[in-house]
Structures are given as C-alpha cells and as structure tokens.
Amino acid sequence: MKKLKEVIGKMKDKASQSKAAILSKRKTLSLLRATTHDSFAPPPHKHLTTLLSAGDGSRATASTAVELLMDRLQTTHNSAVALKCLIAVHHIIKHGTFILRDQLSVYPYTGGRNYLNLSNFRDKTSSISWELSSWVRWYAEYMEHLLFACRTLGYFLGETTTVKETQEERVSGIVTGDLLREIDSLVAMMEGSGKRPNTPTMEEKNKVVVEIMDLVEDDEVVVVSEVLVRVKEFGERERLGCLGFGEVVELVCVLKRLEICRERMVVVMEEKRFWNLVRELKEKVGKMKVFREEGKVYRTVGRDRGTESLRF
C-alpha cells in the first residue's frame, strides 16, 4: 500500500504538470514542480525562482500566483506538498518582490491572524507522512507568527539593509505602546521556532525538514538582532522612567518569556551578550516599586508598604 500510494502521488504530479504545460501556464507548472509529493526532496530553487518572478509583473499576476499557492496549500491532504507550499511562502517573505509580498500579506481579503488554518492537519498515509504532519502544523503556526510580526513592524524581516544607527534611531522614535507590541510579536516568533517537533531522525535525514530548519535559523538570527535593539531602547533611562504600571507589567512578562526561549532556540543559546542585556533590563525593572502621584504611575524604591488594600 505504501509503494502504491507513492506511485499514485507521482502520477498525480505528472498529470498536473502535463496539464499545466499543455495550457501554457508557466507559473502553475513551476508551482506544481516545486510542490511535488516526494517526501524527501525539497523544492528545487529554479522552480521557486520562477514562482518568485510572478512579482516582476503586474499586481494581478502576483495575486494569481499567491492564490494558486494558497489554494494548493489549503486543498492538499499530503504532508510533503503542504510543507513545500509553506517553504514557498517562506521564500516569498524572504526574497519576494514588494508586490508579491504585499499580496501574501493581505491574503485572504477577509483578514484574520490564523488564516493558514492547518492546526488540524493530519496525513495518515504512512509513518513518514504522519511524522511530517506534525511539522506541517508547527511550520504553519510559525509562519503565522512571522507574518503577524511583519505586519506589526510594518516591514518584512530581513528586508531592511539600514545600518545599526539608523535602526536604533527608528526604534527610539516609536511610542512605548507600539514598541511593546513589536517586541511581543518578535518574542512570539522566538517561542514558535522553539516548539519544533522532537523528531531527530527526520531532522537528520529528511532534506525537506533540513531546508525548513535552515530557513527558520536564518530568521532567528534576524529576530535576535531586532529584539536586541528594542531591549537596549527599553534600557535607556529616559524610556524606562516614563513607563506606566501596565507597561512595566507587560515588559516583565515579555522578558520572562524571552528568557524561556534561551533553552529552546539553537541559534541564541550562546549569545551571552544578548542574554546579559536581557537580564540587566529585567533586574532594572524588577527593582522598581509602584506608587502614584497626581494620577500618573511611577517606579521608585520605598519601605512603607501601606495597608493591604493599598498594596492590592
């Protein structure tokens, strides 16, 4: 049965590709060749490049390419096809043109954060497809965090080539509420990357999984640099002194979540300088106590705890 299903999968690929070739649908043909039923071969880069070239034309062409990709992702029941579709989405985010990225960011037109909707994906065809199903669910969730972070930041991660000083200047001009939302979305990405399935044999032998991990680890390097700039900004005396009580609580929660990520993310485990800055900021915030003066919340050190109701 396993051999038969593999043969059927290859026949479906050939039939779909032949139909696209007859109809002269170049983009469709490239998409089908990039997202075959082969559970061990990642999408060929030449076909991904052809797919990305859809962004070189009109907005209508880019919209059609994204719609084709998403339709294939949403209708397939094969774990290998789903993973390769998600890899294609990842490549659009990292290397696509502005028009192609824009069409991806607004799809579907009804909006929503969880629009990939693959949390219940199951492929019971074989033991390999069953293991890959867990990767589909995790990768889809990670991609949702990535897309949400890009929306929150207002740009796609890795696309900025600005120098460090320019990036720090931009962050310094953001209001505290927006800055908290940005760092929260970035930490959510770090949390998501750390939740990858615990299937060591798949990570070592399956080239599709290896391709995914390479893409995610590249993202981790970028995310760490983005978080680092915001941690430094929160550590500035002027910014820290103006935090309200609710903002302090939210920042403490984000920093705690960030510290938990250290044990789960391979890329950042050895970033001692990064974690030292996180620890220092957490200590600064932790040493503060709340009191109110003229309706505004400040942080200071004091010994008088007051009554139980006041502490509450």
Side-chain angles (χ1 to χ4, degrees), residues 17-283:
Q17 292 172 25
S18 299
K19 182 179 178 181
I22 292 171
L23 296 175
S24 300
K25 295 183 178 180
R26 181 166 168 263
K27 298 294 185 298
T28 305
L29 181 58
S30 297
L31 173 62
L32 293 172
R33 287 175 174 172
T35 57
T36 61
H37 287 68
D38 189 340
S39 300
F40 293 93
H45 281 269
K46 63 178 181 179
H47 297 313
L48 288 175
T49 301
T50 303
L51 180 62
L52 291 175
S53 67
D56 297 332
S58 65
R59 189 171 294 274
T61 304
S63 177
T64 301
V66 170
E67 188 174 354
L68 284 169
L69 175 59
M70 288 301 192
D71 283 346
R72 185 155 174 81
L73 175 61
Q74 294 295 325
T75 56
T76 187
H77 297 289
N78 184 276
S79 55
V81 174
L83 283 176
K84 292 176 187 181
C85 286
L86 289 169
I87 289 174
V89 171
H90 208 156
H91 273 271
I92 289 175
I93 294 173
K94 292 175 70 69
H95 309 296
T97 62
F98 170 78
I99 294 177
L100 199 59
R101 287 169 163 178
D102 182 57
Q103 291 303 303
L104 179 64
S105 65
V106 299
Y107 183 92
Y109 300 108
T110 53
R113 177 172 178 173
N114 190 35
Y115 64 78
L116 293 180
N117 197 26
L118 293 172
S119 57
N120 294 320
F121 186 90
R122 300 287 189 282
D123 182 0
K124 303 178 181 178
T125 306
S126 65
S127 59
I128 294 175
S129 64
W130 181 254
E131 280 193 355
L132 287 177
S133 294
S134 63
W135 283 87
V136 172
R137 296 191 296 273
W138 165 75
Y139 197 23
E141 182 183 5
Y142 172 79
M143 293 303 298
E144 286 166 359
H145 285 306
L146 173 57
L147 286 165
F148 183 73
C150 293
R151 291 195 195 104
T152 304
L153 297 175
Y155 57 86
F156 286 91
L157 287 171
E159 74 172 358
T160 54
T161 56
T162 54
V163 295
K164 180 180 177 182
E165 289 76 12
T166 307
Q167 189 181 24
E168 291 177 351
E169 183 179 349
R170 174 195 169 275
V171 170
S172 66
I174 301 174
V175 297
T176 301
D178 291 342
L179 194 59
L180 281 167
R181 279 188 286 274
E182 287 187 0
I183 195 170
D184 177 74
S185 65
L186 291 167
V187 172
M189 268 192 68
M190 294 174 72
E191 290 173 325
S193 66
K195 293 178 181 178
R196 62 182 178 275
N198 185 21
T199 50
T201 55
M202 298 296 289
E203 290 184 50
E204 294 173 1
K205 298 179 181 179
N206 192 295
K207 291 183 179 180
V208 176
V209 172
V210 171
E211 175 82 5
I212 291 170
M213 291 310 304
D214 287 344
L215 290 169
V216 172
E217 287 177 7
D218 287 344
D219 287 345
E220 288 178 356
V221 174
V222 177
V223 171
V224 167
S225 66
E226 293 281 353
V227 172
L228 179 59
V229 173
R230 287 157 181 80
V231 168
K232 286 182 177 179
E233 174 61 25
F234 274 118
E236 292 294 330
R237 183 176 177 182
E238 294 81 3
R239 177 77 71 170
L240 200 60
C242 294
L243 292 179
F245 175 63
E247 292 168 339
V248 169
V249 173
E250 190 173 349
L251 179 57
V252 169
C253 291
V254 170
L255 293 174
K256 286 181 178 178
R257 288 164 51 203
L258 186 55
E259 285 186 324
I260 294 173
C261 293
R262 183 173 188 176
E263 299 176 359
R264 300 176 181 175
M265 293 177 62
V266 177
V267 171
V268 299
M269 285 179 70
E270 302 301 326
E271 294 286 343
K272 294 182 180 179
R273 176 171 170 269
F274 174 78
W275 294 112
N276 287 338
L277 288 172
V278 172
R279 189 187 70 254
E280 289 171 7
L281 177 58
K282 187 180 175 184
E283 289 175 354

